[in-house]
Amino acid sequence: MPNISRFDRPIDPEKINVSVLILTRNEEVNIGACLEHLRWSDDVVVFDSLSTDGTEEIAKKYGVRWIQRKFTNWSEHQNWAMENIPFKHEWVYYTDADEQVPRELAEEILSKTSSASNDKVAYQVRRRDYYGESWIRRSTNYPLWFVRLFRPQAIRWSRKVNPVPTISGPVGNLENDFIHFPLSKGIGEWVERHNSYSNFEAM
């Protein structure tokens, strides 16, 4: 994997106004690197779908809050999180375990969420996909935008897979990308996962 820069400067707790939500299931391959790039938040919640590997053991070494619920579908799972998890902060940044937040994006997130004059309720972020150390530039429809930073009371999702957000208020765009490693568990797992997605789409 490429060397993704991390936010590693001391953070003033009074300047932190964002919690982090990570959805997991059997992510021992990815969760450590993901959490290494989230040290800028003092409230990281791992929302786990009954993992059977070492995800829990690795995650808890980082001092996260560990919450489990049996997975049903994406929108129902994410809506449950918004309605039942008491986040410490006003804002939530959502990430998958196979993603990383570079230093530049972390700094931008902290800046936006600490502004008292911010009238936005959510922000879109571009995803940059990698295969190993190579950015997949031309076959991933880059730039694709995803709502990842939001006030939890202002967002809900619909659809069983690839959920679509409904947002109550103005939405902005962040300048920096998050990094995604879709093939971190191998091509076989990637194919199996997308077969699962297609079954949900058919439903």
Side-chain angles (χ1 to χ4, degrees), residues 85-102:
I85 297 177
F87 295 105
K88 178 179 179 179
H89 297 297
E90 181 181 0
W91 289 85
V92 171
Y93 179 79
Y94 163 76
T95 180
D96 288 330
D98 60 355
E99 299 168 359
Q100 295 176 19
V101 175

Side-chain angles (χ1 to χ4, degrees), residues 165-200:
T166 299
I167 302 165
S168 304
V171 180
N173 292 338
L174 297 185
E175 295 182 5
N176 293 282
D177 303 349
F178 68 89
I179 309 300
H180 181 219
F181 298 94
L183 296 159
S184 58
K185 297 180 183 177
I187 293 177
E189 189 275 341
W190 184 89
V191 171
E192 181 179 349
R193 176 160 29 106
H194 281 76
N195 282 336
S196 171
Y197 292 170
S198 67
N199 288 338
F200 274 107

Side-chain angles (χ1 to χ4, degrees), residues 87-197:
F87 295 105
K88 178 179 179 179
H89 297 297
E90 181 181 0
W91 289 85
V92 171
Y93 179 79
Y94 163 76
T95 180
D96 288 330
D98 60 355
E99 299 168 359
Q100 295 176 19
V101 175
R103 175 180 56 80
E104 297 82 2
L105 176 57
E107 291 176 337
E108 187 177 10
I109 290 170
L110 290 169
S111 174
K112 294 293 186 183
T113 56
S114 64
S115 172
S117 61
N118 190 343
D119 67 342
K120 302 292 190 294
V121 300
Y123 285 91
Q124 297 186 113
V125 191
R126 289 173 305 221
R127 185 182 72 192
R128 192 185 304 176
D129 291 301
Y130 273 75
Y131 177 60
E133 296 190 1
S134 300
W135 176 19
I136 309 172
R137 293 171 180 265
R138 297 181 178 84
S139 61
T140 58
N141 294 319
Y142 181 87
L144 281 177
W145 293 89
F146 298 85
V147 175
R148 288 305 184 87
L149 180 63
F150 45 79
R151 303 178 193 264
Q153 72 275 12
I155 188 169
R156 291 297 182 270
W157 288 270
S158 59
R159 299 184 81 247
K160 293 178 182 292
V161 67
N162 296 323
V164 177
T166 299
I167 302 165
S168 304
V171 180
N173 292 338
L174 297 185
E175 295 182 5
N176 293 282
D177 303 349
F178 68 89
I179 309 300
H180 181 219
F181 298 94
L183 296 159
S184 58
K185 297 180 183 177
I187 293 177
E189 189 275 341
W190 184 89
V191 171
E192 181 179 349
R193 176 160 29 106
H194 281 76
N195 282 336
S196 171
Y197 292 170

Side-chain angles (χ1 to χ4, degrees), residues 27-42:
E27 291 289 354
E28 65 179 6
V29 172
N30 296 307
I31 192 64
C34 177
L35 290 170
E36 283 289 341
H37 289 79
L38 296 171
R39 292 182 179 272
W40 43 268
S41 175
D42 64 353

